[in-house]
Amino acid sequence: MRSRLLVVGAVLGLTVVTGVLIYQGNTEKATASSAASSTSGGVYAEDTADPTIPEVTAPGERPATNVPMTKLEPGDTPPQFIIFSFDGAGSHQRWNEFMSVADESNSRFTGFLSGIYLLGDEGKYAGAYTGPGHKTGAAAIGYGGPESEIVTEVNDLNTAYMKGHEIGTHYNGHFCDDAPPGGNQWTTADWNDELDQFYKFVKDWKTINGYTDAPDLIVPPETIKGGRTPCLTGKLDTLIPAWKAHGMTYDSSMPAPRNGLYWPQKVDGIWEFYMPQVYSPGFEGMTTAMDYNFWAKFNGARDEPDTAPELRSIVKGTYEFMFDQAYNGNRAPILIANHFNKWNGDSFNPPAMDFMKEKCGQPDVICATYQDVIAWMELQDPAVLQELLDRAPVAAKAPDS
Ligand SMILES: [Zn+2]
């Protein structure tokens, strides 16, 4: 398969064991040089053939937030927010599937775009991207493919934005510990360089690629205010100055320093939505609540499609446990953090989609974007908000322990 999704899957590898971020190698991984020299990103190779997914079209005007912007009185119970996000955000089929389901409950989610998905073969061979510390053109994931696929991606981003979904960044070259230097080695200057290029691709992708009759990307670059680093790499003290230099206000990359679900915390002016480490009833133990990490814990991230029903059930059960603990407890926003992928026989889309169908739009439950949740938090009386932020974690252990 030359699908970019599979390339992404092959190079993404991390798991958190007792708070330490560990990269797990994968023999299928594409090296930076092989990815850079492949003939096509081909992200849509496996996606365009399925006729069962209806095309989702954008309305004429971006709708207002789906979060009721009201202030809590002291003692009021906050809404239960669920924040779905998808790294890479380069699959036409996934965009359509999740936008269709979100429509049913006026829900919103966030796509973290890999910037080089906006660079077609022309942009790639023109040397438009140089990852910090790497050769020009090198990347650990594929580029965007031929012009038709770039246009499809742009249309998907436009549709999502016009439906009120949020676009964030998954940076560019996806350089992790398997393709150093990456997020764990980069300095603030390197992150600034990576982000400069990301925003340049969003602004200038048509010029860079030399496309003369492609549609405009209508997502204003200044509305991209947060993201997730590849493989959750990087350190706050190196990243925060780069985020601030680019007008960014939040991040959702850092492995949580405490177990369990708790409210995001403001670190040096940036809202950090920590990637939670939670108890999973199916695993009978702790896990980082993210698709790849579930997979790594389940079978070492080996492709075993026959086991998909079992893994889906474990993931769904973990989501339900997280929900019950937060909803009946501290009401911390629940993060459902996935990639657009079909790993291990499509183990991760069905539980995320079922969870979205079952919970979003239920009483007091709002599936929202990061920025809309931030706007709601910043609307609150500071003392009321602080009480929420200070609430103790839930879902940090088995319910009866
Ligand atoms: Zn990734």
Side-chain angles (χ1 to χ4, degrees):
M1 292 288 288
R2 62 194 179 91
S3 162
R4 183 167 65 200
L5 295 172
L6 296 184
V7 175
V8 176
V11 299
L12 213 202
L14 62 122
T15 184
V16 174
V17 178
T18 59
V20 179
L21 197 64
I22 295 173
Y23 177 77
Q24 294 206 332
N26 185 319
T27 54
E28 292 177 75
K29 73 178 162 50
T31 63
S33 58
S34 69
S37 62
S38 67
T39 53
S40 170
V43 67
Y44 300 113
E46 69 171 352
D47 290 341
T48 46
D50 188 340
T52 62
I53 305 302
E55 293 288 325
V56 180
T57 53
E61 196 174 317
R62 193 165 195 246
T65 174
N66 64 337
V67 174
M69 291 296 168
T70 50
K71 279 191 171 190
L72 298 180
E73 295 297 324
D76 283 356
T77 303
Q80 177 62 58
F81 293 115
I82 305 176
I83 304 176
F84 288 83
S85 61
F86 299 94
D87 293 358
S91 164
H92 181 56
Q93 185 175 348
R94 297 289 96 67
W95 270 121
N96 272 299
E97 288 170 341
F98 279 97
M99 284 196 285
S100 294
V101 173
D103 276 356
E104 294 167 15
S105 53
N106 188 28
S107 293
R108 310 286 163 78
F109 60 87
T110 302
F112 290 133
L113 172 70
S114 292
I116 62 171
Y117 289 179
L118 293 175
L119 298 184
D121 296 336
E122 299 85 352
K124 177 171 79 170
Y125 294 118
Y129 172 59
T130 305
H134 292 271
K135 288 182 189 155
T136 294
I141 54 173
Y143 281 67
E147 180 172 353
S148 61
E149 293 184 6
I150 308 291
V151 168
T152 299
E153 173 71 18
V154 165
N155 284 333
D156 288 338
L157 294 168
N158 286 344
T159 303
Y161 181 75
M162 291 305 292
K163 291 168 95 54
H165 303 296
E166 178 182 356
I167 308 303
T169 181
H170 196 40
Y171 301 80
N172 300 310
H174 213 284
F175 292 113
C176 299
D177 288 354
D178 63 327
N184 285 330
Q185 291 81 38
W186 285 349
T187 63
T188 297
D190 292 331
W191 284 111
N192 273 324
D193 182 16
E194 179 80 348
L195 282 169
D196 284 350
Q197 295 188 74
F198 175 85
Y199 283 99
K200 181 178 168 60
F201 301 155
V202 171
K203 286 192 197 91
D204 298 337
W205 62 280
K206 272 206 281 192
T207 314
I208 293 167
N209 291 322
Y211 300 157
T212 52
D213 56 357
D216 288 334
L217 176 62
I218 60 173
V219 180
E222 64 274 16
T223 65
I224 297 175
K225 291 191 170 296
R228 181 166 297 124
T229 61
C231 306
L232 312 184
T233 51
K235 299 283 179 291
L236 282 174
D237 57 353
T238 12
L239 279 158
I240 286 175
W243 291 332
K244 288 183 174 176
H246 290 84
M248 295 165 72
T249 59
Y250 79 91
D251 173 69
S252 193
S253 309
M254 296 295 123
R258 289 190 290 167
N259 281 345
L261 294 172
Y262 52 98
W263 285 74
Q265 304 289 311
K266 207 161 193 182
V267 183
D268 192 13
I270 296 289
W271 282 107
E272 179 58 46
F273 291 74
Y274 287 110
M275 296 303 295
Q277 175 92 350
V278 299
Y279 180 79
S280 164
F283 285 132
E284 297 182 341
M286 302 299 290
T287 181
T288 298
M290 188 171 189
D291 53 3
Y292 187 89
N293 302 72
F294 287 128
W295 189 18
K297 186 169 183 75
F298 180 68
N299 67 0
R302 289 187 300 277
D303 189 33
E304 297 171 338
D306 290 352
T307 64
E310 185 188 353
L311 183 50
R312 287 175 195 151
S313 170
I314 291 172
V315 172
K316 182 76 183 323
T318 307
Y319 291 163
E320 286 168 358
F321 178 70
M322 291 161 65
F323 181 89
D324 290 343
Q325 295 289 305
Y327 187 84
N328 298 310
N330 64 7
R331 289 286 172 107
I334 293 168
L335 309 183
I336 304 297
N338 272 19
H339 287 72
F340 277 162
N341 66 66
K342 285 203 168 183
W343 294 334
N344 202 57
D346 199 17
S347 286
F348 303 102
N349 294 298
M353 200 166 290
D354 290 347
F355 190 67
M356 188 182 272
K357 285 178 185 165
E358 289 167 17
K359 300 299 186 193
C360 298
Q362 293 294 310
D364 300 337
V365 180
I366 303 167
C367 297
T369 65
Y370 283 96
Q371 287 190 50
D372 286 347
V373 172
I374 290 170
W376 182 91
M377 290 194 296
E378 294 186 339
L379 176 73
Q380 303 305 315
D381 177 80
V384 171
L385 177 62
Q386 196 59 49
E387 188 274 324
L388 299 178
L389 305 189
D390 290 345
R391 289 183 177 184
V394 299
K397 55 185 174 53
D400 53 356
S401 67

